[in-house]
Amino acid sequence: MSQESEERQLFAARVRVAVGAALVLLLVLVGRLAYIQIGRHVHYVTLARDNLTRPVPLPPARGLILDRHGVVLASNFPAYTVSIAPRAVPHLTQMLTRLKGLIGLDNRDLQRFRHEVQTRDSADFLPLRRNLTSVETARLAAHLPELPGVRLQAQLRRNYPLDGLADAVVGYVGPITMAEAAHHVRRYAGFHDVGQTGIERLYQRDLMGHMGYKDVEENARGRLVRVLKRVPGRPGDNLYLTISAQMQAVAEQMFKGRRGAAVALNPRTGAVLALVSSPTYNPNPFVLGISRRRYAKLTDNPRGPLDNRALNGLYPPGSSIKPFYAYAALQTRWFHPHRRVLCRGTWHIPGNNHIFHDWLPWGMGRIGLEKALEESSDVYFYKLAYRMGIDRMARYLEDFGFGHVTGIDLPGESAGTVPTPQWIQAHDSPWYEGETIITGIGQGPLLVTPLQLADAMATLANHGVRMRPYVVRAVQNPLTKAVHYEKPRADPPIPHHRPNSDTLLVDDLTHVISGSLGTAHIIAHRLPYAVAGKTGTAQLWSAPANGKYKGPRLHSDALFTAMAPVPDPRIVVAVVLEHAGFGLHSAIPTKIARALINLDLLGHVHVRHAPKTLVARFAKERRLSARAQTLEARTRRAPSRSEDQAG
């Protein structure tokens, strides 16, 4: 009996311990539930909502780029993009195979997508292919309910409606690279394109706008249930340029794909009226990511369509540099422009037997500065360079902006080369008098860009006042329609010690056009205004003393700079045509310059200079939007304020 009683007591004790332990565990469980449901309610509700909702970026519309008259040079068009969230797709490989049958994916699309999967969060929707055709969009939309984790989205993509027109100024956009995205994580979050060259690159912040977003609710299959919140982005600013699309079109057409460049400036303000680099290229393929084969065709093209010759093409200026040496000589006491110098066709440095030849073998007789510029005498400027010396020559060339960037609001400008004493010392090579002599006619190590030539000529036309070139005329807020006009900026003026030396020089340069022996008299026929200018021929090879040259002979570059109307110029033009040589092609720069001047001063150009097909196409593209018309009406009244201040 005692053993039975003890067993009952032991069992009861065990039951009490078990019940107590169960009660303790129950209390712990209830406490934990209470803590989760009450104490951590907000935290877990937020996590639960995050599993159902996600922020989706809303890229803003990129700002438009228009010419001075409102012609659209860069716009946007809607394009559909198919994206995949890898985490929401059970079998990604099978899904890609199915999509390949619906929209025709190629290996390049698949490689880019796999790279995105490896480098980005698999919960995000990653772009698989952009710019679907209308047929592909309709086919995919019909099967979309059967494709979990797949999204069809409409986005605005960049478009250049005039193809390669003004590509040297506008540039292009391209897909954001991984390096750019990593370097600018916050700035480029949600954006797909970024400016790569030209205005698109330099004004990227103004054009891109500010990103918006929306909070969306999705189900477990990645399907959109509803939009909870929407914060619209701010579209990018519209940029109105100083260039004229019509002047661009005419100049590009007249080059006919030949290598060269042309720059037209307003000397009073520095506004760039045209900036052409030939040959051109179509920037539209770069928007969605150009293929390697197509890009290789551009880079391997011997004509170099991707080179911006107007900004970074380096050329010996030839005789087009002579007016600036003449200006330097006019500032000295010993130089007299009317004193005649004998030109026999050859000249040599005193005490040296090396002969320097004139382009005219029999010479020009006794000539002063006026005739030396009109007929482009080399012997006259040989003697002038010998008298001035390289130091004075280089100092005045630098005053005119040679050897330095102009500061134009475009990326990638070259500074050129002026053989200053510092440059000579840096190259650790002796400088001979013969190099000074050939530098006096624009040969040797002297290299300039077409933009520098136009800028220097504009300084001469503006009586020594240097206006910094610029291409963005106005910035418009697309929401408020407020317009901010860029103010012209002046650089330090050119020093002059002889009064009216610039006026005297410009008068002499008019004889290059109007004189019967002027080297550019071909364009003077029926001109209703006076033009001052200077031709130039940059020789790319030198004949040895015995006259026997071995190797390929490169045709010389042809250059021409001009200002009009004289005596109060409103336009300055510089044109370079590579390998033009002598003859018919060497006259092309003067014809291009005349066409640009006529367009600016008279508003038209002769039909021989602009084929009817080009005029008809341009007239079709020049339909102004209401917004462009409003801005143009403003600019006709308001810009005179900034121009008067600059002038």
Side-chain angles (χ1 to χ4, degrees):
M1 293 294 293
S2 61
Q3 289 181 353
E4 184 177 354
S5 176
E6 290 176 357
E7 288 178 355
R8 288 178 178 176
Q9 291 177 359
L10 181 60
F11 178 75
R14 290 176 177 176
V15 170
R16 288 193 294 270
V17 171
V19 171
L23 290 174
V24 171
L25 292 175
L26 181 61
L27 290 174
V28 171
L29 180 60
V30 171
R32 180 61 179 171
L33 289 174
Y35 173 75
I36 292 175
Q37 293 292 329
I38 300 174
R40 300 285 289 173
H41 172 76
V42 176
H43 173 72
Y44 287 105
V45 166
T46 303
L47 292 179
R49 287 179 178 173
D50 288 344
N51 290 332
L52 294 175
T53 63
R54 56 184 283 112
V56 176
L58 295 175
R62 192 172 178 87
L64 304 179
I65 301 178
L66 308 96
D67 85 330
R68 66 185 296 110
H69 301 298
V71 177
V72 178
L73 303 175
S75 60
N76 306 296
F77 72 98
Y80 282 92
T81 300
V82 56
S83 305
I84 299 178
R87 187 180 297 179
V89 179
H91 304 287
L92 185 59
T93 304
Q94 296 178 6
M95 179 64 70
L96 292 175
T97 303
R98 187 172 182 184
L99 289 174
K100 190 174 183 180
L102 292 174
I103 60 175
L105 299 173
D106 56 21
N107 293 331
R108 184 162 156 262
D109 296 325
L110 296 175
Q111 290 176 1
R112 184 171 53 237
F113 178 74
R114 292 191 181 100
H115 178 73
E116 294 277 343
V117 172
Q118 294 174 359
T119 56
R120 294 178 59 180
D121 187 358
S122 60
D124 295 336
F125 277 88
L126 308 179
L128 177 62
R129 184 177 159 203
R130 299 183 173 94
N131 200 25
L132 300 180
T133 64
S134 57
V135 175
E136 292 171 338
T137 302
R139 188 186 300 131
L140 184 61
H143 292 82
L144 203 59
E146 309 165 8
L147 305 173
V150 179
R151 173 185 291 172
L152 183 62
Q153 196 173 14
Q155 295 177 339
L156 289 175
R157 311 298 299 182
R158 203 57 158 170
N159 178 48
Y160 302 97
L162 299 178
D163 296 335
L165 186 71
D167 58 342
V169 179
V170 177
Y172 60 84
V173 301
I176 296 176
T177 64
M178 298 306 298
E180 290 171 335
H183 187 66
H184 304 282
V185 178
R186 293 187 177 181
R187 185 189 306 173
Y188 293 157
F191 288 93
H192 302 286
D193 303 322
V194 64
Q196 302 292 338
T197 61
I199 290 294
E200 295 276 25
R201 176 182 173 183
L202 193 64
Y203 286 84
Q204 167 67 19
R205 289 193 177 185
D206 300 273
L207 291 167
M208 66 188 295
H210 298 284
M211 180 66 65
Y213 71 94
K214 61 180 179 180
D215 290 332
V216 300
E217 184 178 341
E218 299 175 342
N219 58 23
R221 295 170 63 88
R223 301 285 179 217
L224 176 65
V225 177
R226 58 174 175 163
V227 177
L228 303 176
K229 182 181 180 181
R230 180 188 294 269
V231 178
R234 178 190 176 279
D237 293 331
N238 298 327
L239 302 183
Y240 284 80
L241 307 185
T242 60
I243 67 169
S244 165
Q246 189 174 17
M247 293 177 70
Q248 285 281 144
V250 169
E252 290 178 8
Q253 180 74 17
M254 293 183 68
F255 271 107
K256 295 183 178 180
R258 303 182 186 93
R259 290 181 291 182
V263 179
L265 300 175
N266 182 339
R268 301 175 182 177
T269 63
V272 179
L273 306 177
L275 192 144
V276 177
S277 177
S278 180
T280 61
Y281 64 93
N282 187 354
N284 283 304
F286 287 90
V287 176
L288 300 175
I290 192 170
S291 65
R292 291 185 178 180
R293 173 188 282 183
R294 198 164 185 176
Y295 185 70
K297 274 188 175 182
L298 291 173
T299 55
D300 297 340
N301 190 330
R303 295 191 301 165
L306 296 180
D307 298 335
N308 193 335
R309 291 176 168 83
L311 290 182
N312 50 47
L314 299 177
Y315 303 93
S319 296
S320 63
I321 204 71
K322 291 176 180 177
F324 309 107
Y325 289 142
Y327 183 89
L330 284 169
Q331 309 313 312
T332 64
R333 294 181 178 180
W334 51 263
F335 179 76
H336 299 282
H338 302 297
R339 179 180 297 168
R340 295 180 179 273
V341 174
L342 180 61
C343 172
R344 295 179 175 176
T346 59
W347 182 78
H348 63 86
I349 301 173
N352 192 312
N353 294 328
H354 179 79
I355 297 176
F356 295 92
H357 295 269
D358 199 291
W359 71 271
L360 194 63
W362 50 85
M364 302 173 189
R366 292 191 173 275
I367 56 176
L369 177 62
E370 177 185 315
K371 282 294 181 182
L373 289 172
E374 177 183 341
E375 302 181 40
S376 195
S377 169
D378 289 335
V379 169
Y380 187 95
F381 283 91
Y382 289 152
K383 296 180 179 180
L384 190 62
Y386 179 73
R387 181 72 184 271
M388 285 197 299
I390 190 62
D391 291 348
R392 174 180 288 273
M393 293 162 58
R395 184 168 69 252
Y396 272 90
L397 288 182
E398 287 190 321
D399 288 339
F400 275 98
F402 297 107
H404 304 279
V405 295
T406 63
I408 190 174
D409 49 345
L410 285 173
E413 183 187 3
S414 296
T417 301
V418 172
T420 61
Q422 294 79 10
W423 181 88
I424 297 169
Q425 185 177 5
H427 283 72
D428 195 22
S429 60
W431 182 263
Y432 300 101
E433 283 186 325
E435 293 174 295
T436 300
I437 303 306
I438 61 173
T439 303
I441 61 168
Q443 297 288 158
L446 179 62
L447 296 174
V448 303
T449 67
L451 177 61
Q452 287 176 332
L453 269 178
D455 181 44
M457 201 69 169
T459 302
L460 191 61
N462 205 29
H463 305 288
V465 178
R466 292 187 59 198
M467 302 304 298
R468 186 172 302 180
Y470 68 100
V471 295
V472 174
R473 183 187 191 188
V475 180
Q476 181 191 45
N477 186 314
L479 299 179
T480 64
K481 311 303 182 192
V483 180
H484 169 71
Y485 294 99
E486 298 294 333
K487 293 183 179 180
R489 290 182 292 177
D491 289 329
I494 305 299
H496 63 278
H497 307 290
R498 178 177 291 183
N500 301 322
S501 55
D502 51 351
T503 304
L504 172 66
L505 184 56
V506 170
D507 289 341
D508 289 345
L509 290 175
T510 59
H511 294 279
V512 176
I513 312 298
S514 60
S516 59
L517 299 177
T519 54
H521 73 279
I522 188 174
I523 69 169
H525 181 62
R526 290 187 176 180
L527 277 180
Y529 46 81
V531 180
K534 187 70 190 77
T535 58
T537 302
Q539 187 175 320
L540 304 182
W541 59 277
S542 299
N546 59 9
K548 297 180 179 180
Y549 178 83
K550 295 182 179 180
R553 290 190 178 185
L554 301 175
H555 291 294
S556 302
D557 294 339
L559 303 94
F560 182 63
T561 60
M563 64 178 76
V566 175
D568 190 19
R570 299 201 306 268
I571 181 174
V572 166
V573 180
V575 185
V576 178
L577 182 64
E578 296 183 12
H579 310 309
F582 291 92
L584 180 62
H585 285 177
S586 64
I588 292 176
T590 57
K591 293 180 179 179
I592 294 175
R594 171 171 173 153
L596 293 178
I597 295 172
N598 277 341
L599 276 173
D600 185 66
L601 300 183
L602 305 180
H604 63 83
V605 63
H606 197 278
V607 70
R608 287 182 302 175
H609 296 155
K612 293 182 180 179
T613 54
L614 175 65
V615 176
R617 178 190 173 189
F618 182 80
K620 181 180 178 181
E621 298 291 349
R622 194 173 173 173
R623 295 174 180 173
L624 304 183
S625 63
R627 198 165 39 176
Q629 291 177 3
T630 302
L631 178 62
E632 182 61 13
R634 286 186 183 180
T635 55
R636 287 176 180 174
R637 296 191 303 266
S640 59
R641 298 195 305 266
S642 58
E643 293 181 357
D644 290 342
Q645 291 172 1

